[in-house]
Amino acid sequence: MVSYAVEAVGLRVRRGGGDVLHGLDFTVTRGSVTGLLGPSGGGKTTLMRAVVGVQKGVRGHLTVLGERAGSPSLRARIGYVTQSPAVYADLSVRANLDYFAALLGAGARVNSVLRDVALHDVADQVVGSLSGGQRARVSLAAALLGCPDLLVLDEPTVGLDPVLRRDLWAIFGDLAATGTTLLVSSHVMDEAVRCDRLLLLRDGRLVADDTLNGLLVRTGTSDAEAAFLALAEGPCS
């Protein structure tokens, strides 16, 4: 089995006549939670789209689960949760999951996924009537229907209160414990403590690839936010 869920060497993304990502080299270990941190506009979403295989202008080496990113055979093995909930607001939670499950041939998993993301009590409610945290969990549930080997989450906790963020991260931890690899973007630095490894992007460049403890030692700081600020405000190679 390939040891890395994602491997990038010299990864570039060109858009609008210039590079958006500038020669990134990194790996994501299978069964880990890797945090992709950085300010808005730093390239996090572009990188995630490249990993998922929907980004144009990708150059360099990028393999996902041992295959070239974007390969048709990867579609059923990757779950992707975008920043905005990608579900139908005028349908119930269950109707949404039934629809996506039919596309994936995963109808038998709807009830178990509802339980996994704690939505079984609101399964028959229209998504548009739910709270922001509940809608985020509906999108996550849809991504989990196919039992993905790699789950890519683009700022899944943005705009949520601390309790809801804690609950989502508990779900992420449970998934990783069962062997799912997670790549999670965020600009909330306190979420760094929940990750096995951190990739810090600034202006499309990778300024750090380390554990949180490694970043604290490297920067001589005492918390994730201070470490990130030290790296974000320092010279960018």
Side-chain angles (χ1 to χ4, degrees), residues 10-33:
L11 175 62
R12 295 179 178 273
V13 171
R14 190 167 185 82
R15 189 173 66 230
D19 282 348
V20 179
L21 299 180
H22 305 270
L24 308 186
D25 299 329
F26 68 90
T27 57
V28 174
T29 302
R30 286 177 181 264
S32 67
V33 180

Side-chain angles (χ1 to χ4, degrees), residues 13-177:
V13 171
R14 190 167 185 82
R15 189 173 66 230
D19 282 348
V20 179
L21 299 180
H22 305 270
L24 308 186
D25 299 329
F26 68 90
T27 57
V28 174
T29 302
R30 286 177 181 264
S32 67
V33 180
T34 297
L36 179 58
L37 306 180
S40 297
K44 299 190 301 296
T45 296
T46 299
L47 175 53
M48 292 189 140
R49 285 174 54 84
V51 169
V52 173
V54 296
Q55 179 62 52
K56 295 181 179 180
V58 177
R59 301 179 178 181
H61 173 85
L62 180 61
T63 57
V64 178
L65 303 172
E67 302 185 49
R68 181 178 57 82
S71 297
S73 56
L74 290 173
R75 291 172 186 165
R77 303 179 65 193
I78 300 175
Y80 182 33
V81 179
T82 57
Q83 289 185 34
S84 300
V87 291
Y88 296 100
D90 58 341
L91 297 179
S92 71
V93 174
R94 185 180 297 278
N96 267 281
L97 297 188
D98 284 342
Y99 171 72
F100 291 115
L103 296 178
L104 294 168
R109 284 187 43 79
V110 171
N111 285 331
S112 63
V113 168
L114 283 169
R115 289 193 297 270
D116 289 343
V117 300
L119 287 173
H120 51 283
D121 289 340
V122 296
D124 296 320
Q125 291 189 30
V126 173
V127 169
S129 69
L130 302 179
S131 68
Q134 289 170 323
R135 288 196 298 272
R137 278 183 280 156
V138 177
S139 288
L140 176 60
L144 292 176
L145 285 168
C147 295
D149 297 313
L150 172 64
L151 186 58
V152 179
L153 303 126
D154 194 352
E155 301 207 8
T157 64
V158 66
L160 303 185
D161 65 49
V163 173
L164 291 173
R165 288 200 289 125
R166 178 203 63 194
D167 292 347
L168 275 182
W169 275 99
I171 294 172
F172 301 158
D174 290 344
L175 289 168

Side-chain angles (χ1 to χ4, degrees), residues 169-188:
W169 275 99
I171 294 172
F172 301 158
D174 290 344
L175 289 168
T178 61
T180 303
T181 304
L182 289 90
L183 178 61
V184 187
S185 76
S186 177
H187 61 263
V188 181

